[in-house]
Amino acid sequence: METPPGDPRPHRLLVGKEEAALEGESLLVAELIPGRPQPFYWKSTCETWSVAFSPDSAWFAWSRGHCVVKLLPWPLEESEQSGKAWERKSHCTKGEASGRGGAKEKTLECGQIVWGLAFSPWLPPSSRKHAPCLVLATGLNDGQIKVWEVETGSLLFNLSGHLDVVRDLSFAPDENSSILVSASRDKTLRVWDLGQNGKQLQVLSGHMQWVYCCCISPDGHMLCSAGGEKSAFLWSMDSYSLLRKLEGHQGCVVSCDFSPDSALLATASYDASVILWDPCTGEQMRSLCHIPLQSSLDHSSDYHASSLRSVCFSPEGLYLSTVADDRLLRIWALELGSPVSFAPVKNGLCCTYFPHGGIIATGTRDGHVQFWTAPQALSSLKHLCRKSIRRFLSTYQVLALPIPKKVKEFLTYRTL
C-alpha cells in the first residue's frame, strides 16, 4: 500500500546518469525508484504495468505498484541537475511536493492493483469553464475503472461493468473527448462516455482469451485490440462493429499502436516479432524480427527468448520502440527496418514516448521507471506531406487519386 506518513523515502529520483554509451545505445537520463518495500498485502504488487505522459506534456503518470499511481509534474523538477546522481526525499503522501509552474505531485490511492493508465482532456457538460480539465483513467484489478481530475487529484467517476482485471485503456483522440475504451481479462472491450456520467455505450465481444491491450487510431475511426490469441481485432469506432481480424503472428499478440497518421498499425507478439499492417486493407507491410543481440548490453549468461511486451510509435512516426524479455529496449527506424538504438531494460513491461519525442519511459516488474534518450530526426518535407494527407485519406482513397504510381506507393507506405 502507500508509504505511511513520515517515511522519508516514498520514492527516489536519480538523475544525471549519462554514462559513457556504446554506439547505438540510448542514454539513461533519469530513473524513478519506489521507496522502502511495504509489508506484504494480498492486494498489492510492485509492478509498473503502465506509464503515461499527458497530451499537453505537463504530467507523467507512474503506476508505482502497491495500488498507487503517482502524478508527477513534467519536466521532473530535478532534471535540470546534471553530472551526478542524487536522492529526492519527500515526507508527503498526498502530493505536497511542488513542481514546475506551481503544479504539485499527487498520489492517487486506487485501493487495487493498477494495470492501465490513460490521459485525456475533458470538458464536463455542466462545467462553466471554457477550457477542458485533464483527467486520468486507471484500470484496476477488480474490474473497476477510476477516473481522476489531475489538477485536484479528486475522483470523478468509478465505472463498473467488467468482471475481471481492466488491463488497458484508450481515450478517443478528438479534442475534449469523453469516449473511453477499456480492455479486460473478462474477454471484452467496453465503451464509456464520460459526457453522460460514465454511461456504458457498448460491449465488444469476440475475443476468446484475455484482452491485453486496446488502442484507438489518431483519426478516431478505428480501434485495435489484442488478447491471448495469434490475431489482433480491428473495430469500427463509428459502428462498434468488427472490421477484420489481422492474422499473421505465430504467438499471442500482446501490444498494439497506431502511427500518428493512422496509416500504419504495429502489433507485438510473444513470437518475438512486430508486424506493421495497413489497417485499412489488412495487408502486412513489414515484419520486424527480434534477433538475439550478443553484446555488452546483455550482462547475463542466462539469455531468454525475445518475447515482446510493448510497442509504441514515436510522435513524428519515423521510429518504433519495443520492450522485450531479452532485457532490451529497441528503437527501430521504419525506413531501415532495423534497430538504430538499444538500452538495457531488465524485466521491462511497458514503454511510451514523450509527446514531443526525444525521451522514452519504460516501466519494469520491480516498479522502476527509466527515462531514455531517443533518436530524433527532422521530418522530411515528403514525410510531412504524407502525414498530412493520410490523416484525411484512407489507402483506398489515395489509390484512387490521379497521381503517379510511385507517389501512391510512398503515400501508402508500400516503400517500407
Side-chain angles (χ1 to χ4, degrees):
M1 294 297 288
E2 174 56 14
T3 306
D7 190 322
R9 297 191 301 168
H11 65 269
R12 292 187 293 154
L13 170 62
L14 301 183
V15 298
K17 301 190 69 172
E18 296 94 335
E19 301 163 350
L22 301 173
E23 182 179 358
E25 183 179 359
S26 293
L27 299 174
L28 177 63
V29 295
E31 183 173 10
L32 291 167
I33 301 175
R36 187 160 47 220
Q38 299 304 300
F40 175 79
Y41 183 56
W42 72 273
K43 291 184 179 180
S44 181
T45 58
C46 66
E47 292 93 346
T48 292
W49 291 105
S50 185
V51 292
F53 288 99
S54 63
D56 61 3
S57 308
W59 293 90
F60 179 75
W62 171 24
S63 172
R64 203 188 68 175
H66 304 293
C67 310
V68 168
V69 172
K70 280 287 184 180
L71 282 171
L72 304 174
W74 188 271
L76 302 177
E77 187 175 8
E78 295 82 1
S79 62
E80 293 180 350
Q81 305 290 333
S82 61
K84 61 179 181 179
W86 65 285
E87 178 178 333
R88 176 177 33 163
K89 296 183 178 181
S90 171
H91 296 266
C92 60
T93 60
K94 292 295 184 179
E96 301 294 333
S98 295
R100 199 67 56 89
K104 294 182 178 181
E105 174 186 314
K106 295 175 177 63
T107 298
L108 306 180
E109 299 179 5
C110 298
Q112 292 282 334
I113 298 169
V114 181
W115 292 80
L117 298 172
F119 278 106
S120 180
W122 175 61
L123 186 64
S126 60
S127 174
R128 297 181 180 179
K129 299 179 181 179
H130 296 290
C133 66
L134 183 66
V135 299
L136 175 72
T138 56
L140 306 182
N141 196 66
D142 63 355
Q144 303 289 309
I145 302 168
K146 291 187 177 181
V147 182
W148 311 79
E149 183 178 4
V150 172
E151 183 179 353
T152 63
S154 59
L155 181 64
L156 296 176
F157 299 102
N158 193 347
L159 309 179
S160 301
H162 282 297
L163 304 177
D164 207 334
V165 172
V166 177
R167 187 61 185 85
D168 200 14
L169 298 160
S170 181
F171 275 102
D174 303 332
E175 187 176 358
N176 306 337
S177 175
S178 63
I179 301 298
L180 172 67
V181 174
S182 55
S184 171
R185 284 185 180 177
D186 67 7
K187 306 176 186 178
T188 70
L189 299 111
R190 294 172 191 256
V191 185
W192 315 83
D193 187 356
L194 302 188
Q196 299 185 52
N197 294 316
K199 179 182 178 181
Q200 181 176 287
L201 300 181
Q202 195 77 25
V203 178
L204 305 181
S205 303
H207 283 281
M208 302 305 292
Q209 303 293 334
W210 293 351
V211 187
Y212 289 126
C213 67
C214 62
C215 182
I216 301 177
S217 61
D219 64 11
H221 293 302
M222 292 175 287
L223 166 69
C224 182
S225 61
E229 300 144 320
K230 297 179 182 179
S231 59
F233 286 27
L234 200 63
W235 310 81
S236 168
M237 283 297 291
D238 300 315
S239 63
Y240 300 124
S241 59
L242 181 64
L243 297 174
R244 63 180 55 87
K245 293 182 182 180
L246 302 176
E247 300 178 336
H249 283 289
Q250 302 304 309
C252 296
V253 184
V254 294
S255 183
C256 58
D257 194 28
F258 284 94
S259 62
D261 59 5
S262 303
L264 292 173
L265 171 67
T267 56
S269 168
Y270 285 160
D271 65 9
S273 72
V274 170
I275 296 180
L276 294 175
W277 310 81
D278 183 329
C280 183
T281 65
E283 179 182 353
Q284 290 189 35
M285 309 299 293
R286 168 173 276 175
S287 181
L288 307 177
C289 297
H290 286 60
I291 300 173
L293 178 67
Q294 299 296 340
S295 76
S296 60
L297 286 178
D298 185 8
H299 303 289
S300 171
S301 59
D302 182 19
Y303 188 84
H304 294 279
S306 301
S307 296
L308 297 186
R309 294 290 172 176
S310 183
V311 63
C312 62
F313 274 96
S314 64
E316 79 285 344
L318 294 174
Y319 297 97
L320 192 73
S321 294
T322 58
V323 168
D325 282 349
D326 63 0
R327 306 178 183 87
L328 286 177
L329 164 72
R330 289 173 172 83
I331 303 175
W332 306 72
L334 290 189
E335 295 295 336
L336 298 177
S338 60
V340 294
S341 187
F342 302 87
V345 178
K346 185 178 180 181
N347 296 321
L349 293 174
C350 59
C351 63
T352 190
Y353 272 91
F354 179 62
H356 301 304
I359 295 289
I360 298 175
T362 57
T364 67
R365 287 191 179 276
D366 57 10
H368 292 217
V369 174
Q370 297 167 323
F371 299 93
W372 306 90
T373 57
Q376 282 188 295
L378 184 64
S379 297
S380 66
L381 182 58
K382 288 196 307 179
H383 180 65
L384 292 174
C385 290
R386 176 168 61 184
K387 281 179 61 178
S388 298
I389 292 172
R390 293 311 307 272
R391 283 181 177 136
F392 300 99
L393 297 181
S394 70
T395 297
Y396 294 121
Q397 290 172 319
V398 170
L399 294 176
L401 294 174
I403 56 178
K405 180 180 178 181
K406 287 188 176 181
V407 178
K408 292 181 181 180
E409 290 176 347
F410 176 77
L411 292 178
T412 57
Y413 290 90
R414 266 60 183 174
T415 54
L416 290 181

